[in-house]
């Protein structure tokens, strides 16, 4: 590992920003990679002798002592250009740099104390039941308040988990307004193994959705390439001729017919963006209240004002697409055990379905 201050330090110019952004170095690396400065602090003229780990904790409250210790062990903490151990004592005007083998991310992922509904957790991974309305990953317009920020807080004392390192963390994603199960890897090798299972289509993923209309068949298979809609880049569309997009297959089974809507179970053979939502619209059965794909309009039923008001009330009960990632199964990368997790439908979807059941039982349809 290089011990001199890297030439790219000046390009970052980032001073005193809190982060949980240390990455364990690979001890088996033979050629020392280039180092990049992520943070820099300069001690005051009147600075008293103080251990560097305490010095950094005072200035980076979002970082645990374990991560600072790990950074020091990996020779990622430099004082005046030279690597130091965690027991080094800071002196007046010392310049402290924190360096890593990769450039600093444009947006640092900071821990946020957001409640998590954890279905399962061990030292290698965890499965969470995400509520509707929670964005999974920071992005344009959503830099805080995401599932990744919540995970950063929950795992802040795990020395091997760096929320800004794409080698760990989320293995797959679901949309903001879709609820349900997700698996998160705490270690790079675990994420790699799980990623291979998703790629090879050996995972089990089943969703429950309320859709408009009554499918003709109890069981069906939807196959059609999915890609960006050229007329609306925020939507995905189905290219039945396979001319564009990526192959996608969704299997569905009707669980209950409720007059003008149906409760269905969808099993994903592939995992494309908005796959269920795009496929269901393609066969004429958009997900109920799915604003992006036309399900937020009254598509089936009667013209009577009483029915129209009933549907509007249903939209208020479940103010998002009625879609829930209910079941998730995979082989545990470390133990080899087959794990299968199931989750209850969230309250908004339960109340929505109950309203339709009551309506069907109270009216001749």
């Amino acid at each position: 590992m290089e011990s001199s201050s890297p030439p790219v330090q000046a390009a970052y110019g980032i001073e005193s920003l809190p982060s949980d952004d240390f990455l364990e170095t690979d001890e088996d690396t033979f050629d020392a990679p280039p180092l990049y400065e992520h943070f820099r602090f300069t001690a005051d003229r009147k600075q008293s002798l103080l251990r560097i780990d305490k010095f950094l904790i005072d200035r980076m409250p979002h970082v645990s002592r374990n991560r600072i210790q790990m950074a020091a062990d990996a020779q990622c903490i430099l004082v005046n250009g030279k690597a130091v151990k965690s027991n080094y004592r800071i002196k007046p005007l010392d310049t402290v740099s924190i360096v890593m083998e990769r450039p600093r991310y444009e947006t640092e992922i900071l821990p946020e104390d957001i409640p998590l509904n954890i279905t399962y957790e061990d030292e290698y991974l965890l499965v969470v039941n995400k509520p509707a309305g929670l964005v999974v990953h920071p992005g344009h317009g959503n830099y805080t308040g995401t599932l990744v920020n919540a995970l950063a807080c929950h795992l802040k004392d795990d020395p091997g988990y760096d929320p800004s390192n794409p080698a760990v963390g989320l293995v797959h994603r679901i949309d903001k307004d879709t609820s349900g199960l997700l698996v998160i890897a705490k270690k790079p090798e675990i994420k790699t193994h799980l990623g291979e299972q998703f790629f090879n289509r050996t995972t089990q993923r089943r969703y429950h959705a309320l859709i408009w209309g009554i499918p003709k068949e109890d069981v069906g298979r939807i196959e059609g390439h999915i890609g960006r809609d050229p007329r609306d880049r925020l939507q995905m569309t189905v290219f039945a001729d396979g001319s564009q997009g990526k192959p996608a297959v969704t299997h569905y089974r009707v669980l209950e017919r409720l007059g003008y809507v149906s409760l269905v179970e969808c099993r994903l053979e592939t995992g494309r963006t908005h796959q269920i939502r795009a496929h269901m619209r393609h066969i004429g059965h958009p997900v109920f209240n799915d604003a992006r794909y036309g399900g937020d309009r009254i598509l089936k039923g009667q013209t009577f004002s009483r029915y129209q008001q009933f549907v509007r009330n249903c939209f208020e009960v479940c103010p998002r697409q009625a879609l829930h990632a209910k079941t998730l199964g995979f082989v545990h990368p470390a133990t080899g055990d087959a794990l299968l997790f199931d989750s209850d439908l969230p309250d908004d979807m339960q109340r929505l379905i109950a309203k339709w059941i009551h309506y069907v039982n109270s009216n001749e349809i």
Side-chain angles (χ1 to χ4, degrees):
M1 185 71 68
E2 295 178 10
S3 60
S4 61
S5 183
V8 296
Q9 289 182 2
Y12 288 88
I14 300 170
E15 303 278 335
S16 305
L17 295 178
S19 172
D20 206 11
D21 194 18
F22 295 127
L23 179 64
E24 185 175 10
T25 57
D26 183 359
E27 294 180 354
D28 295 327
T29 299
F30 295 102
D31 297 323
L35 298 178
Y36 301 87
E37 181 177 83
H38 284 229
F39 303 100
R40 178 188 294 180
F41 307 94
T42 301
D44 294 335
R45 291 182 179 275
K46 297 182 180 180
Q47 174 69 50
S48 59
L49 292 178
L50 182 68
R51 281 176 56 113
I52 193 168
D53 52 358
K54 295 182 179 180
F55 175 85
L56 289 173
I57 286 173
D58 290 342
R59 287 155 180 78
M60 305 177 76
H62 294 283
V63 181
S64 68
R65 184 182 297 273
N66 285 339
R67 286 193 179 276
I68 291 176
Q69 177 67 57
M70 185 175 66
D73 292 343
Q75 296 186 312
C76 290
I77 299 179
L78 311 181
V79 175
N80 304 324
K82 295 183 179 181
V84 298
K85 296 182 179 180
S86 59
N87 62 356
Y88 174 86
R89 292 185 176 275
I90 290 290
K91 297 185 285 294
L93 300 180
D94 272 350
T95 297
V96 181
S97 301
I98 299 174
V99 298
M100 278 172 275
E101 295 176 1
R102 57 171 172 77
R104 178 186 171 94
Y105 286 93
E106 290 184 5
T107 303
E108 292 298 327
I109 296 174
L110 301 179
E112 295 182 55
D113 189 11
I114 300 170
L116 286 174
N117 184 355
I118 298 175
T119 302
Y120 173 85
E121 182 173 14
D122 61 26
E123 62 183 298
Y124 304 102
L125 57 86
L126 68 157
V127 175
V128 300
N129 190 357
K130 185 189 84 68
L134 180 64
V135 176
V136 169
H137 198 283
H140 181 68
N142 294 287
Y143 297 111
T144 60
T146 72
L147 176 60
V148 168
N149 296 109
L151 291 168
C153 181
H154 178 70
L155 298 172
K156 63 181 183 299
D157 293 324
D158 185 336
Y161 186 82
D162 176 0
S164 296
N165 179 13
V168 296
L170 292 165
V171 180
H172 59 126
R173 304 182 186 186
I174 56 178
D175 300 325
K176 171 186 175 183
D177 290 325
T178 298
S179 54
L181 299 176
L182 287 164
V183 60
I184 294 93
K186 296 182 180 181
K187 303 176 186 296
E189 64 273 18
I190 299 300
K191 183 171 183 179
T192 298
H193 195 293
L194 288 170
E196 290 174 352
Q197 293 184 52
F198 276 85
F199 180 79
N200 294 326
R201 305 178 186 179
T202 59
T203 59
Q204 298 182 52
R205 287 176 289 166
R206 287 182 169 82
Y207 290 67
H208 279 196
L210 194 72
I211 60 173
W212 277 108
I214 309 296
K216 295 179 180 179
E217 306 293 336
D218 288 340
V219 178
R221 182 178 188 271
I222 311 169
E223 183 172 5
H225 282 50
I226 289 180
R228 291 287 175 188
D229 189 332
R231 296 168 298 181
D232 184 349
R233 302 298 291 176
L234 295 179
Q235 285 190 19
M236 308 301 286
T237 193
V238 176
F239 298 93
D241 60 0
S243 61
Q244 299 181 55
K246 296 180 180 180
V249 178
T250 303
H251 302 266
Y252 71 86
R253 178 168 64 95
V254 178
L255 301 176
E256 196 166 3
R257 292 176 170 82
L258 298 171
Y260 303 114
V261 298
S262 299
L263 180 64
V264 298
E265 177 187 81
C266 295
R267 178 173 63 84
L268 294 181
E269 188 173 310
T270 55
R272 309 303 179 201
T273 301
H274 297 182
Q275 178 171 317
I276 293 174
R277 300 164 67 190
H279 267 170
M280 283 300 169
R281 182 183 66 171
H282 178 65
I283 65 171
H285 299 288
V287 175
F288 188 85
N289 208 12
D290 187 347
R292 180 71 65 194
Y293 292 92
D296 61 339
R297 294 178 288 116
I298 301 176
L299 301 179
K300 304 287 182 179
Q302 306 168 4
T303 58
F304 301 125
S305 60
R306 180 169 171 267
Y307 172 76
Q308 305 276 314
Q309 184 59 52
F310 164 75
V311 176
R312 285 193 289 271
N313 290 342
C314 286
F315 288 154
E316 292 179 2
V317 166
C318 186
R320 49 100 175 191
Q321 65 254 19
L323 181 62
H324 176 69
K326 193 172 190 302
T327 302
L328 176 62
F330 53 86
V331 174
H332 195 295
T335 67
D337 294 336
L339 304 179
L340 181 63
F341 303 98
D342 187 71
S343 59
D344 294 333
L345 290 179
D347 181 66
D348 58 353
M349 284 187 64
Q350 290 192 38
R351 288 188 290 118
L352 172 64
I353 294 167
K355 284 184 71 69
W356 275 102
I357 291 174
H358 179 76
Y359 184 85
V360 170
N361 291 338
S362 303
N363 297 272
E364 293 185 4
I365 298 178

